[in-house]
Amino acid sequence: MVNWIITCCKDLWFRDRNEVSPYINDTAVRIRAGLLLAIPIYMAFTLFDAIFGSDWVITGEVITDTLETDFDGRIIYSVEAVKRTFDYSTQTWVLFYALFEMISGMFVSTSRLSPTILLSSFLAKNLRPVWKPLLPKRFAWSIGASFIVTCLIFFNPEIFAGWVNAIAGSEQLPETYNYMPSWIPLVLVWVCFGFMWMETVLGFCVGCKMHSLLVRMGLLEEECEACNNLDWGEAANKR
């Protein structure tokens, strides 16, 4: 089993694990993005329910007709309701797993620990590999990791506030209510979904394009992809 995992990562995900500038199979990357699409979809439904859902839950034990109507002629009932509470334990663990997936794919050593990398590599084993440099993907996954951290703060504001206040030695963030506007994680989740959908369906990596733009601006350095991706076998066949 261990040998299969090593071979799978070596031959399908990475072109050569010993390369100074690793190259990964973009075909497997697109499959992996499709697998991970389930996470932003799940988070989008969670946030929609939390932000736009009702803050009250009717118990159903007490429903009394008041024998009155409102201005639209609708009957007014007196009910027993409780304030809705939210438990984001499951969402937190899902986000931590997503963060692990983002970070594990950035390095050769940790990529073997990712279930989605192993599965996507297995699914891509009969497809023609398309080798792309890992560095732009690292940049793209770093953006995804920042989105995930932001959502973790939204779902656990009191914990993050406690850390900040403990480090600062004074109250910098409130610990009794959520200080992050709800539109921030909602927008980030849909942006993340859009990025991953384009990666999966169109093969268009937005993070990679942003990395390329920063390289052109001189803010980042990038090696020559064409020079590092020569196919000598194909070149010999053309002679």
Side-chain angles (χ1 to χ4, degrees), residues 33-97:
L35 296 174
L36 292 175
L37 261 177
I39 295 178
I41 292 175
Y42 171 64
M43 289 300 160
F45 279 108
T46 297
L47 289 169
F48 185 86
D49 180 55
I51 296 172
F52 301 106
S54 174
D55 292 333
W56 298 94
V57 177
I58 299 176
T59 62
E61 297 178 359
V62 178
I63 301 179
T64 306
D65 188 346
T66 63
L67 304 178
E68 297 180 0
T69 59
D70 60 8
F71 291 105
D72 295 325
R74 295 174 297 185
I75 300 175
I76 299 176
Y77 290 90
S78 174
V79 300
E80 180 182 86
V82 295
K83 186 72 172 180
R84 189 180 181 190
T85 57
F86 296 93
D87 180 14
Y88 295 124
S89 300
T90 302
Q91 288 80 359
T92 298
W93 284 112
V94 170
L95 287 172
F96 270 121
Y97 173 74

Side-chain angles (χ1 to χ4, degrees), residues 76-221:
I76 299 176
Y77 290 90
S78 174
V79 300
E80 180 182 86
V82 295
K83 186 72 172 180
R84 189 180 181 190
T85 57
F86 296 93
D87 180 14
Y88 295 124
S89 300
T90 302
Q91 288 80 359
T92 298
W93 284 112
V94 170
L95 287 172
F96 270 121
Y97 173 74
L99 184 61
F100 163 77
E101 286 287 350
M102 292 296 102
I103 296 176
S104 64
M106 298 181 187
F107 308 98
V108 176
S109 57
T110 56
S111 63
R112 309 173 196 176
L113 305 176
S114 167
T116 59
I117 288 180
L118 297 177
L119 180 57
S120 60
S121 298
F122 176 77
L123 295 175
K125 68 176 183 177
N126 294 324
L127 302 175
R128 182 178 180 274
V130 178
W131 302 113
K132 296 290 184 180
L134 177 60
L135 188 58
K137 295 295 183 182
R138 280 178 179 166
F139 183 83
W141 294 333
S142 297
I143 296 175
S146 66
F147 288 1
I148 294 170
V149 170
T150 303
C151 289
L152 279 170
I153 295 174
F154 175 79
F155 286 127
N156 303 275
E158 71 286 351
I159 296 177
F160 181 74
W163 292 347
V164 172
N165 295 338
I167 295 174
S170 60
E171 184 175 349
Q172 302 295 322
L173 293 174
E175 300 183 28
T176 56
Y177 62 90
N178 199 336
Y179 41 82
M180 181 181 293
S182 58
W183 62 266
I184 293 179
L186 189 62
V187 170
L188 291 182
V189 163
W190 284 110
V191 169
C192 181
F193 173 83
F195 285 2
M196 296 177 69
W197 183 88
M198 286 189 286
E199 174 81 52
T200 303
V201 179
L202 305 178
F204 184 85
C205 177
V206 178
C208 299
K209 298 301 180 183
M210 294 175 61
H211 179 270
S212 177
L213 178 62
L214 293 175
V215 170
R216 291 185 180 183
M217 295 172 61
L219 300 177
L220 295 176
E221 294 183 359

